[in-house]
Amino acid sequence: MLNFFKNSSNFPKENDKNRIWLDGDRLHYLDHGNEEEVNLSQLRYAYVQLLAGDPYLFLFDDHQHYIPARSQGFSKVYPKLSEQFGFDDALFFHTIKQKQDCKAKIWIQQQTRNYNILPGDFEDDHIGFEVYAEPTQFISWDISYADIEKLGIGHQYASEYGTLYFKIDYPVRIGNLWLKELEIYCDDIPPHVPIQEYFITIYDESNTDKSYKDLRDLWLDGEDYDAEDYGYEREDQCYLSFDFGDHISSSICYTYDDESNYDDGGTSLHFYNQRDYPALLENPAYDQLIEVTELVKLKTSGTLRRISAKMLL
């Protein structure tokens, strides 16, 4: 690794338009006069990319960061990042010397497997999910956010950018699928309305689309299928949705490397509650108070026409 760094000419020539520097677990850089920040403790993957002939270090920490490799200080910062994370330096320097725009993944965060396919024949995925707390609890899809908070099975947290989430602290079982750290987006959702959506990103140790294929095979039962009946499967992205019955469904999505996409090795998994709850719109106490206080009588149809004409004007 160090051989690449001994000769500073291996790096692009730096300019004084942009600047990059490290401060603890934060990477700061100036881009067109704006100071941006990368949370290195949350870094998920890194690419090297040529855009319009200019080299960039692309970092993702829940936000996309295109850092010009010609930034002042880049030749000092990059070796430190590479030592910390284990970047593929040979691939980095090979890519920045190309003549045409291209990109290459030089690092990805290795994830532990957070799902399993359980043996047996569970047929309750349309009813709810089982939480492996002490004692085990089976929770209906009809539960509200206010009620799930009272169970003591998870905690609310705010992301670095202020978004609120609720994470279930125990593994859960949905049908034959075992998951760890299922979450709920809880910003501005009515607390007494049944939860409409749960989500998680699942990973296999290989950081490949194996997680996507495992769930696809689970819910399609290994049978031949036409992807268009469930969504689509393309070279750049695969997306399928599944109906569990009783207005409960799920979706899986995996994105691959291509000209405009980046592959993080995870499958986005969502569960949806699409049931109607008409009782939530009822208010018997208010309905009993409804009364007619006044009648306004319009004399002729000509009056209606004149009113309509004034409204149009």
Side-chain angles (χ1 to χ4, degrees):
M1 176 184 72
L2 295 178
N3 291 334
F4 291 107
F5 306 143
K6 287 181 179 179
N7 186 353
S8 60
S9 65
N10 285 327
F11 287 98
K13 184 178 180 180
E14 296 178 4
N15 57 47
D16 57 1
K17 294 181 180 179
N18 302 300
R19 189 161 66 91
I20 181 173
W21 68 98
L22 287 168
D23 183 10
D25 66 350
R26 306 287 168 150
L27 174 69
H28 301 268
Y29 65 100
L30 291 179
D31 184 16
H32 296 89
N34 299 315
E35 182 175 335
E36 305 291 345
E37 179 181 284
V38 183
N39 184 352
L40 296 175
S41 66
Q42 300 295 324
L43 193 62
R44 290 168 55 186
Y45 51 87
Y47 281 73
V48 56
Q49 188 162 2
L50 284 183
L51 292 171
D54 288 326
Y56 290 83
L57 176 64
F58 175 86
L59 302 178
F60 186 80
D61 65 344
D62 287 332
H63 280 68
Q64 295 184 347
H65 301 272
Y66 291 88
I67 303 172
R70 301 187 190 278
S71 298
Q72 183 181 359
F74 187 87
S75 60
K76 295 180 179 179
V77 169
Y78 178 86
K80 295 179 181 179
L81 293 175
S82 180
E83 181 179 5
Q84 179 178 352
F85 294 100
F87 289 169
D88 187 335
D89 299 317
L91 185 56
F92 174 85
F93 287 103
H94 172 76
T95 304
I96 64 174
K97 293 178 181 178
Q98 300 306 301
K99 302 300 182 182
Q100 297 181 340
D101 286 0
C102 57
K103 68 176 181 176
K105 184 189 297 179
I106 59 173
W107 178 83
I108 186 170
Q109 174 68 54
Q110 292 299 310
Q111 303 284 350
T112 57
R113 185 183 175 101
N114 62 346
Y115 74 97
N116 278 304
I117 308 300
L118 302 176
D121 189 17
F122 296 95
E123 297 182 353
D124 53 6
D125 48 15
H126 65 292
I127 300 173
F129 55 93
E130 188 173 21
V131 179
Y132 291 109
E134 292 292 341
T136 299
Q137 302 180 50
F138 191 86
I139 297 176
S140 168
W141 291 117
D142 295 324
I143 193 169
S144 69
Y145 179 71
D147 288 336
I148 203 169
E149 269 198 316
K150 296 175 184 177
L151 297 178
I153 60 172
H155 67 280
Q156 186 182 103
Y157 73 94
S159 72
E160 184 178 359
Y161 307 100
T163 307
L164 293 178
Y165 299 93
F166 182 85
K167 180 180 293 185
I168 298 177
D169 295 331
Y170 300 91
V172 304
R173 179 190 62 79
I174 302 175
N176 286 74
L177 180 62
W178 179 97
L179 299 168
K180 187 176 182 181
E181 297 187 335
L182 188 66
E183 296 192 50
I184 303 164
Y185 176 77
C186 55
D187 247 357
D188 300 323
I189 64 172
H192 299 292
V193 172
I195 298 166
Q196 303 294 292
E197 183 176 351
Y198 299 77
F199 70 91
I200 185 174
T201 300
I202 62 170
Y203 296 91
D204 180 77
E205 298 93 334
S206 63
N207 277 99
T208 68
D209 61 357
K210 184 178 185 303
S211 55
Y212 170 86
K213 292 177 179 177
D214 283 346
L215 266 63
R216 179 191 65 190
D217 294 344
L218 168 66
W219 287 325
L220 291 179
D221 200 22
E223 299 178 359
D224 292 335
Y225 67 96
D226 186 343
E228 293 186 357
D229 292 337
Y230 300 90
Y232 57 84
E233 290 187 331
R234 306 188 305 242
E235 291 185 359
D236 64 322
Q237 188 179 71
C238 294
Y239 172 89
L240 299 177
S241 62
F242 307 92
D243 184 3
F244 295 163
D246 202 12
H247 301 287
I248 301 298
S249 62
S250 72
S251 70
I252 55 175
C253 182
Y254 191 93
T255 301
Y256 298 89
D257 271 333
D258 73 354
E259 185 176 346
S260 58
N261 292 326
Y262 303 87
D263 182 1
D264 74 345
T267 296
S268 177
L269 168 62
H270 291 250
F271 296 94
Y272 306 101
N273 176 1
Q274 298 168 318
R275 295 171 178 168
D276 293 325
Y277 295 93
L280 294 173
L281 302 176
E282 297 176 359
N283 190 337
Y286 176 77
D287 291 343
Q288 292 176 3
L289 296 175
I290 292 178
E291 61 180 9
V292 177
T293 57
E294 185 179 359
L295 293 175
V296 178
K297 185 177 180 181
L298 298 176
K299 294 182 179 180
T300 67
S301 58
T303 303
L304 291 176
R305 286 196 294 270
R306 289 194 296 272
I307 292 174
S308 299
K310 289 181 179 180
M311 292 178 66
L312 291 173
L313 292 175

